């Protein structure tokens, strides 16, 4: 048996040692002497979260199909092991080979949310890789970032050698081929990075320089070397059926957050909710074929032995063959004794029928995401869900035996008034009333309507990218207002309400729309001991505020400030297909409360048609 | 049909917990195509029962799980399939059919004794002192329950011992009636050797200051039949090719 990087003594001292031993089912082992490129794929959070992520599974499989590449995985060591590794100078290692990351050619980090930024520094630091890209030398691992947060990579720019903008399936082969050439030809790291800038989708942050106006906004953002493109266009897969998808996904040996097989049915979303970044950056919608999905589902269930399968997409109800797929899966999973977990579907006769077949009605709840309390505000955010839809759906469900409803809302969206805020509680009340209108003998006890609010954070590449954000005080005032309004409802005993602290959202907002001047703040926060910011028990707002203050950076400038429509934004150099002009138009329509139809009802010329595929060309040939 | 499976837990997989082992087997059954029986309901689960959970970090070549199957190939074939779909650290050693009445008292409640080998990370202990330890008529240890703390004598629960080249062999009472964990024996030994050792050389015991001085390796689990201890698998019979159904 291969030796483990950590001693038995350490493994027995830490919580959940299974996080650190590798050896998962379907993990790929290769002979390091037989490959040209060692790639460590990192999800900068704890193992259980990282192992539940589909993107890594896809690229892990794809990279390892190449004989000359060995792709392995690494996750953030939990604070208990983090401490030990620092004290005992144990370098961070990859799970498969248990070899130190710093001996790898590449460290690829998927950046899924802002609150993992300090964990990125943790991973670099524990690996012994210089945190600042500028300090790395020929021998150092090349650090490449990907994932949704790279649509504004600027706050992290000085820590990365490369960013991959868009979907990983398309350009990694070119990148690996180029790297091999560079390695063989004895060319320098600098040469390599410069050459990378010509690969579509690859952004080399060191080859661009920002300049700022007196008011602190961006004046210019320009390439500083010959041949480096001024704009980087996102990469995307056009034919989803031809893109690689793992036949044998990794199966962890310990319980992880999502212990199941995931079937990605489509990418992108036809509904342009105006607060939603995913809805814009993954445009246009591209579906996988029904046949592909049927075969893939069976292959993955057989190779993993998982007891559950789930569908992944931004809006499953919009998948054109959903009925066929779901009924096929219900039959298949039934004979295999496998559970099927359906992501929140739009509530209608079909989804209620399906849910009654696959879940225990008494235990399960219905989920609606109205996102705003009044129709006026739902029109502003372009959430095409009406009160009538909700009440009808709830009524049908209550008659079908359900009595629990979950509602998701956001506080602080543009133009929101107190009436909209109170509307959250009032909508919850009306749903409860629908329940109690049912004759008593047909009801199943009391109903339970649980509303949760999150705080709206404006994100790059959305129509709200210019919008102001509420202050933390404003958020909390609104949350109290919801709570108070709930208390004055007739059926208040059936209403529940959850919200969380606002501090994390403020920080998330600053990082989401930030620029390079935030890198020293992140660095300082990390040096103060911030890691696992996404975890309540580890998040320290105090340390972060100190970091901002000590770096002399005004957080409000990045978080709450309304941007001028003409301002040069830090992420404007990225071309995600959707044009700035379209986003502006959408912002204006939002402020006027005009809804925009979805891509299947009518194309709105967002710009994503340049990629030449997907929904934009459905029924057009 | 009731099947009893004997397996190992070694190498890096000794760091996965008991619940993880259960989940591992649930998936293994599917990958290996075992025609296992499921419960009814919305979340069907496999009918499966494990004997004697092993401590985290301990290794074993004598683990057991009982399952219910609707049909099966021969023992040889099933072992091959399970090992092909599984990890080398959890190797299937036996796959035998057990009588229904044996199953009624399942793998867990069958257990009467267990063999262990204790490895000493800091070197073997002094054999004379060890002999003196086991020669005691009583070995009282304090046992904490939720409400009280009581003194129990573990000596009668130690059925056999022997110092071997690699470590200390122990045969201990196990199962629901009177379960003695090897850790408890070694804690008592620690206390004993420290007391004796202090008198003799004022040094510290073989465990030294290490926080995990022992590594426990389980060798076998036994049931009692007519006063005799027999390995759990021996209560079943091998499925030959012809008799497979
Ligand atoms: S170009 Fe039209 S159809 Fe294509 S994504 Fe944009 S709005 Fe939708």
């Amino acid at each position: 048996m291969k030796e483990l990087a950590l001693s038995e003594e350490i493994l027995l001292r830490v919580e959940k040692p299974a996080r650190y031993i590798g050896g998962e089912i379907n993990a790929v082992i290769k002979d390091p002497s037989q490959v040209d490129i060692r790639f460590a794929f990192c999800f900068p959070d704890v193992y259980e979260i990282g192992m539940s992520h589909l993107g890594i599974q896809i690229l892990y499989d794809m990279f390892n199909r190449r004989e000359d590449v060995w792709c392995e995985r690494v996750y953030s060591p939990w604070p208990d092991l983090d401490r030990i590794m620092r004290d005992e100078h144990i370098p961070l290692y990859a799970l498969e080979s248990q070899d130190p990351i710093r001996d790898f050619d590449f460290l690829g980090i998927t950046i899924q949310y802002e609150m993992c930024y300090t964990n990125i520094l943790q991973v670099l630091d524990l690996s012994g890789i210089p945190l600042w890209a500028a300090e790395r030398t020929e021998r150092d691992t090349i650090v490449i970032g990907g994932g949704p947060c790279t649509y504004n990579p600027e706050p992290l720019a000085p820590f990365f050698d490369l960013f991959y903008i868009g979907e990983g399936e398309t350009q990694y082969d070119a990148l690996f081929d180029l790297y091999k050439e560079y390695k063989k030809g004895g060319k320098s790291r600098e040469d390599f990075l410069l050459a990378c800038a010509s690969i579509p989708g690859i952004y080399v942050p060191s080859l661009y320089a920002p300049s700022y106006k007196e008011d602190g906004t961006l004046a210019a953002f320009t390439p500083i070397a010959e041949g480096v493109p001024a704009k980087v266009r996102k990469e995307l897969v056009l034919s989803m059926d031809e893109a690689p998808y793992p036949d044998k996904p990794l199966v962890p040996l310990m319980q992880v957050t999502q212990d199941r097989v995931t079937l990605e049915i489509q990418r992108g979303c036809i509904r342009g909710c105006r607060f939603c970044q995913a809805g814009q950056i993954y445009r246009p919608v591209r579906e996988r074929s029904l046949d592909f999905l049927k075969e893939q589902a069976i292959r993955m269930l057989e190779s993993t032995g998982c007891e559950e399968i789930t569908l992944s997409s931004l809006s499953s109800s919009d998948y054109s063959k959903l009925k066929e797929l779901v009924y096929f899966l219900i039959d298949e999973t039934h004979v295999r004794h496998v559970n099927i977990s359906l992501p929140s579907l739009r509530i209608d006769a079909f989804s209620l029928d399906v849910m009654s077949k696959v879940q225990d009605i008494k235990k399960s709840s219905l989920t609606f995401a109205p996102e705003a309390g009044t129709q006026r505000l739902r029109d502003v955010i372009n959430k095409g869900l009406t009160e009538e839809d909700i009440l009808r759906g709830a009524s049908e469900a209550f008659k079908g035996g359900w009595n629990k409803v979950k509602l998701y809302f956001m506080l602080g969206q543009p133009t929101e008034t107190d009436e909209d805020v109170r509307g959250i509680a009032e909508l919850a009340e009306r749903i409860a009333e629908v329940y109690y209108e049912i004759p008593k003998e047909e009801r199943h006890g009391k109903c339970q309507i649980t509303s949760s609010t999150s705080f709206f954070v404006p994100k790059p590449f959305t129509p709200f990218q210019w919008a102001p954000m509420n202050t933390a005080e404003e958020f909390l005032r609104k949350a109290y207002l919801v709570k108070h309004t709930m208390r004055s409802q007739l059926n208040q005993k059936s209403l529940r309400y959850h919200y969380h602290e606002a501090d994390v959202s403020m920080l998330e907002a600053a990082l989401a729309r930030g620029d390079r001047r935030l890198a020293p703040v992140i660095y300082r926060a990390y040096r103060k001991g911030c890691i696992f910011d996404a975890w309540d028990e580890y998040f320290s707002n105090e340390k972060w505020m100190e970091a901002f203050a000590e770096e002399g950076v005004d957080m409000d400038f990045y978080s709450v400030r309304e941007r001028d429509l003409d301002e040069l934004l830090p992420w404007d150099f990225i071309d995600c297909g959707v044009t700035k002009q379209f986003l502006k138009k959408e912002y204006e329509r939002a402020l006027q409360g005009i809804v925009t139809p979805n891509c299947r009802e009518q194309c709105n010329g967002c710009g994503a048609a340049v990629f030449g595929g997907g929904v934009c060309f459905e029924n057009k040939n | 049909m009731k099947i009893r499976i004997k397996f190992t837990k070694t190498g890096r997989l000794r760091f996965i917990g008991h619940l993880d082992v259960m989940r591992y087997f649930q998936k293994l059954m599917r990958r290996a195509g075992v025609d296992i029986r499921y419960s009814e309901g919305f979340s069907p689960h496999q009918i499966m029962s494990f004997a004697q959970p092993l401590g985290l970090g301990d290794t074993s070549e004598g683990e057991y799980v009982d399952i219910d199957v609707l049909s099966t190939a021969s023992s040889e074939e099933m072992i091959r399939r399970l090992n092909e779909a599984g990890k080398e650290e959890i190797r299937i050693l036996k796959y035998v059919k057990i009588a229904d009445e044996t199953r009624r008292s399942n793998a867990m409640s069958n257990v009467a004794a267990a063999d262990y080998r204790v490895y000493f990370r800091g070197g073997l202990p002094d054999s004379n002192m060890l002999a003196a330890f086991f020669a005691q008529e009583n070995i009282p240890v304090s046992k904490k329950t939720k409400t009280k703390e009581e003194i129990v004598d573990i000596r009668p629960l130690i059925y056999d011992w022997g110092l071997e080249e690699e470590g200390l062999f122990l045969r201990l009472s196990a199962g629901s009636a009177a379960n003695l964990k090897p850790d408890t024996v070694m804690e008592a030994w620690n206390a004993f050797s420290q007391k004796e050792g202090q008198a003799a050389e004022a040094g510290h015991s073989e465990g030294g200051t290490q926080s995990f001085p022992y590594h426990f390796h389980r060798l076998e689990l036994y049931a009692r039949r007519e006063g005799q201890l027999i390995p759990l698998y021996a209560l079943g019979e091998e499925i030959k090719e012809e008799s497979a159904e």
Side-chain angles (χ1 to χ4, degrees):
Chain A
M1 191 204 67
K2 219 167 172 167
E3 262 202 77
L4 294 168
L6 299 175
S7 70
E8 189 173 21
E9 200 261 328
I10 291 175
L11 285 165
L12 289 175
R13 224 157 82 200
V14 298
E15 199 188 307
K16 303 190 185 172
R19 287 166 173 165
Y20 310 112
I21 58 173
E24 296 89 344
I25 312 293
N26 297 332
V28 178
I29 300 295
K30 294 189 181 184
D31 176 352
S33 68
Q34 298 301 308
V35 299
D36 297 316
I37 297 174
R38 302 280 303 265
F39 193 104
F41 216 135
C42 171
F43 191 108
D45 205 325
V46 74
Y47 180 85
E48 295 92 307
I49 304 278
M51 269 302 274
S52 306
H53 184 246
L54 175 65
I56 290 192
Q57 293 260 14
I58 292 177
L59 294 182
Y60 179 83
D61 169 70
M62 180 184 126
F63 293 177
N64 280 320
R65 288 185 195 189
R66 280 180 71 123
E67 267 180 26
D68 53 353
V69 176
W70 184 10
C71 176
E72 306 181 38
R73 292 157 301 123
V74 57
Y75 305 95
S76 279
W78 194 244
D80 58 350
L81 180 61
D82 175 278
R83 187 71 282 140
I84 294 172
M85 293 180 92
R86 282 171 208 273
D87 290 348
E88 304 189 12
H89 306 287
I90 301 167
L92 187 59
Y93 59 92
L95 290 177
E96 282 79 355
S97 64
Q98 303 272 312
D99 288 340
I101 303 292
R102 62 165 178 244
D103 297 337
F104 279 58
D105 298 286
F106 288 95
L107 170 61
I109 303 179
T110 180
I111 317 170
Q112 297 288 322
Y113 31 86
E114 289 79 5
M115 303 320 289
C116 74
Y117 287 3
T118 53
N119 279 51
I120 294 173
L121 299 190
Q122 175 213 22
V123 166
L124 293 173
D125 207 7
L126 291 177
S127 300
I129 299 170
L131 303 191
W132 302 98
E135 289 169 15
R136 289 179 203 142
T137 61
E138 296 298 329
R139 304 191 42 258
D140 287 312
T141 306
I142 287 165
V143 183
I144 179 166
C149 289
T150 60
Y151 283 87
N152 177 22
E154 288 306 280
L156 292 171
F159 306 122
F160 281 82
D161 298 300
L162 301 169
F163 287 103
Y164 186 120
I165 315 292
E167 295 167 359
E169 287 98 331
T170 54
Q171 294 296 343
Y172 265 110
D173 276 330
L175 185 75
F176 291 149
D177 291 342
L178 184 72
Y179 179 76
K180 275 170 67 176
E181 237 175 78
Y182 140 88
K183 219 172 151 183
K184 256 193 228 124
K187 284 186 251 166
S188 73
R189 184 187 191 93
E190 226 170 277
D191 290 339
F192 172 64
L193 295 181
L194 184 62
C196 283
S198 308
I199 301 178
I202 301 292
Y203 164 49
V204 189
S206 58
L207 299 179
Y208 296 78
S211 58
Y212 302 96
K213 293 184 186 160
E214 226 163 84
D215 65 3
T217 60
L218 206 54
F221 187 85
T222 39
I224 54 170
E226 200 73 28
V228 176
K231 278 220 162 201
V232 180
R233 177 178 285 175
K234 82 160 181 213
E235 275 298 305
L236 102 175
V237 170
L238 277 178
S239 169
M240 292 293 285
D241 280 1
E242 280 157 44
Y245 202 82
D247 292 340
K248 296 179 169 184
L250 287 153
V251 184
L253 296 171
M254 65 177 285
Q255 187 158 37
V256 299
T257 315
Q258 298 191 354
D259 185 6
R260 57 202 189 186
V261 159
T262 306
L263 199 56
E264 188 196 33
I265 57 177
Q266 60 185 356
R267 281 195 196 154
C269 180
I270 56 170
R271 302 176 177 268
C273 296
R274 291 175 177 134
F275 54 82
C276 177
Q277 187 187 41
Q280 304 295 337
I281 61 178
Y282 299 128
R283 281 184 174 215
V285 164
R286 291 141 294 148
E287 297 191 339
R288 285 201 160 93
S289 72
L290 186 60
D291 287 344
F292 176 94
L293 293 173
K294 283 181 176 175
E295 281 169 28
Q296 199 61 34
I298 296 192
R299 268 200 292 267
M300 292 194 299
L301 285 173
E302 283 176 352
S303 67
T304 60
C306 277
E307 38 281 299
E308 189 167 299
I309 184 165
T310 188
L311 304 183
S312 154
S313 91
L314 291 168
S315 165
S316 300
S317 295
D318 294 324
Y319 178 63
S320 57
K321 307 270 170 24
L322 186 72
K323 263 190 200 159
E324 289 99 313
L325 178 64
V326 167
Y327 287 130
F328 168 82
L329 288 177
I330 288 178
D331 289 346
E332 274 300 319
T333 52
H334 186 75
V335 295
R336 290 164 194 272
H337 306 280
V338 168
N339 298 322
I340 162 164
S341 114
L342 293 169
S344 16
L345 297 174
R346 202 167 32 239
I347 305 298
D348 55 20
F350 163 68
S351 60
L352 290 176
D353 173 54
V354 166
M355 278 159 42
S356 68
K357 287 196 168 94
V358 304
Q359 321 174 325
D360 187 345
I361 295 178
K362 279 187 227 76
K363 286 187 203 138
S364 65
S365 53
L366 293 179
T367 304
F368 293 98
E371 307 292 358
T374 60
Q375 195 56 46
R376 186 201 71 78
L377 191 53
R378 281 194 294 273
D379 288 348
V380 168
I381 63 177
N382 207 39
K383 185 83 204 185
L385 183 68
T386 65
E387 182 160 328
E388 206 194 323
D389 295 335
I390 298 171
L391 297 182
R392 193 184 337 103
S395 163
E396 276 169 35
F398 291 151
K399 284 179 197 139
W402 275 272
N403 62 0
K404 290 191 204 75
V405 176
K406 280 190 199 152
L407 299 169
Y408 291 97
F409 297 96
M410 258 186 239
L411 286 172
Q413 303 195 88
T415 77
E416 185 181 60
T417 64
D418 282 0
E419 196 187 323
D420 300 313
V421 176
R422 283 193 299 268
I424 291 173
E426 286 154 10
L427 179 59
E429 166 68 16
R430 273 194 293 283
I431 296 173
E433 282 166 13
V434 167
Y435 184 78
Y436 292 109
E437 274 160 21
I438 300 175
K440 198 163 187 180
E441 45 301 347
E442 288 166 40
R443 299 202 294 250
H444 298 80
K446 279 192 162 25
C447 72
Q448 197 187 93
I449 318 293
T450 307
S451 309
S452 308
T453 57
S454 60
F455 298 124
F456 167 64
V457 174
K459 291 278 165 101
F461 292 110
T462 66
F464 291 163
Q465 65 177 353
W466 295 277
M469 184 167 117
N470 284 175
T471 60
E473 296 72 42
E474 190 63 7
F475 276 138
L476 293 179
R477 186 190 70 80
K478 287 178 176 176
Y480 290 135
L481 183 56
V482 176
K483 199 167 155 185
H484 181 80
T485 316
M486 293 260 176
R487 291 240 174 94
S488 56
Q489 302 301 319
L490 212 58
N491 293 299
Q492 50 155 305
K493 287 219 175 75
S494 300
L495 309 184
R496 275 160 212 226
Y497 175 52
H498 298 299
Y499 66 97
H500 56 79
E501 288 305 310
D503 295 337
V504 182
S505 304
M506 303 315 291
L507 180 60
E508 182 190 331
L511 296 173
R513 291 194 291 176
D515 58 36
R516 287 190 185 188
R517 291 169 296 181
L518 287 186
V521 179
I522 299 169
Y523 179 83
R524 198 176 271 269
Y526 169 69
R527 284 290 175 225
K528 286 176 179 292
C530 290
I531 47 168
F532 288 98
D533 295 317
W535 296 74
D536 283 350
E537 64 266 49
Y538 290 106
F539 176 67
S540 165
N541 194 51
E542 209 183 335
K543 284 186 189 147
W544 270 99
M545 292 309 109
E546 284 169 21
F548 273 98
E550 288 165 22
E551 287 297 331
V553 172
D554 174 17
M555 185 167 156
D556 289 351
F557 176 84
Y558 294 102
S559 56
V560 299
R561 180 175 65 96
E562 178 171 8
R563 274 63 164 175
D564 195 279
L565 283 180
D566 299 323
E567 184 175 327
L568 181 64
L569 302 169
W571 53 92
D572 276 350
F573 74 96
I574 290 174
D575 171 6
C576 82
V578 175
T579 60
K580 199 171 179 182
Q581 195 192 344
F582 171 77
L583 294 176
K584 266 186 202 166
K585 197 178 80 192
E586 276 295 288
Y587 190 30
E588 278 152 15
R589 285 167 74 96
L591 298 179
Q592 293 161 25
I594 306 172
V595 299
T596 295
N598 72 49
C599 296
R600 286 221 173 87
E601 290 165 346
Q602 177 200 316
C603 169
N604 299 284
C606 74
V610 299
F611 296 108
V615 67
C616 324
F617 295 86
E618 267 174 22
N619 314 320
K620 278 187 190 150
N621 35 25
Chain B
M1 198 190 323
K2 325 293 176 190
I3 301 291
R4 176 160 293 168
I5 295 172
K6 180 183 182 185
F7 62 97
T8 69
K9 188 186 182 208
T10 59
R12 64 180 78 187
L13 264 58
R14 70 189 182 281
F15 297 109
I16 72 171
H18 182 60
L19 288 173
D20 297 328
V21 172
M22 291 171 60
R23 272 188 286 268
Y24 173 88
F25 268 91
Q26 285 160 8
K27 293 188 172 87
L28 178 63
M29 293 299 146
R30 289 202 171 85
R31 288 199 306 274
V34 176
D35 190 10
I36 194 167
R37 187 193 297 277
Y38 285 83
S39 68
E40 301 294 317
F42 274 106
S43 321
H45 60 267
Q46 300 170 352
I47 313 286
M48 199 178 252
S49 94
F50 285 82
Q52 260 331 73
L54 195 66
L56 194 71
D58 297 346
T59 53
S60 174
E61 55 194 89
E63 295 301 284
Y64 285 94
V65 56
D66 285 358
I67 59 172
D68 261 25
V69 298
L70 299 170
S71 68
T72 179
S74 69
S75 296
E76 198 188 327
E77 165 68 6
M78 292 311 289
I79 291 175
R80 188 190 64 75
R81 264 155 62 178
L82 286 161
N83 281 333
E84 220 159 72
K87 305 241 7 136
E88 61 176 16
E89 294 94 337
I90 293 185
R91 277 194 68 73
I92 309 302
L93 303 173
K94 303 268 184 214
Y95 179 102
V96 293
K97 182 177 166 174
I98 47 172
D100 279 11
E101 91 234 38
T102 317
R103 176 55 173 66
R104 212 173 302 130
S105 47
N106 61 27
M108 186 65 198
S109 51
N110 273 179
V111 176
D115 285 351
Y116 294 92
R117 188 180 299 128
V118 184
Y119 294 95
F120 295 77
R121 295 211 168 87
L124 285 183
D126 177 72
S127 59
N128 290 331
M129 205 194 286
L130 206 54
F133 171 66
F134 287 109
Q136 297 174 98
E137 219 158 285
N138 302 301
I139 303 180
V141 299
S142 85
K143 198 171 130 196
K144 272 194 201 119
T145 63
K146 268 174 230 136
T147 45
K148 54 178 194 274
E149 193 173 334
E150 53 176 2
I151 304 290
V152 273
D153 179 15
I154 60 167
R155 187 60 191 88
L157 305 180
I158 302 173
Y159 296 157
D160 197 2
W161 72 277
L163 192 57
E164 300 170 340
E165 221 168 279
E166 296 149 278
L168 170 66
F169 170 82
L170 290 175
R171 175 166 295 173
L172 307 177
S173 171
S176 36
N179 193 43
L180 177 58
K181 295 205 283 182
D183 325 39
T184 313
V185 178
M186 297 318 288
E187 269 163 40
W189 156 252
N190 262 355
F192 176 85
S193 68
Q194 255 159 36
K195 205 168 69 197
E196 297 294 306
Q198 255 162 23
E201 49 182 293
H204 51 223
S205 72
E206 76 293 328
T209 50
Q210 270 182 289
S211 38
F212 302 94
Y214 312 112
H215 164 191
F216 301 106
H217 180 73
R218 188 187 279 162
L219 297 161
E220 187 56 275
L221 287 174
Y222 298 90
R224 198 180 295 280
R225 281 290 175 280
E226 289 149 14
Q228 296 287 322
L229 288 179
I230 31 177
L232 286 190
Y233 71 84
L235 296 178
E237 63 184 274
E238 184 146 344
I239 305 162
K240 297 273 187 290
E241 200 112 24
E242 319 76 76
S243 64
E245 4 179 325

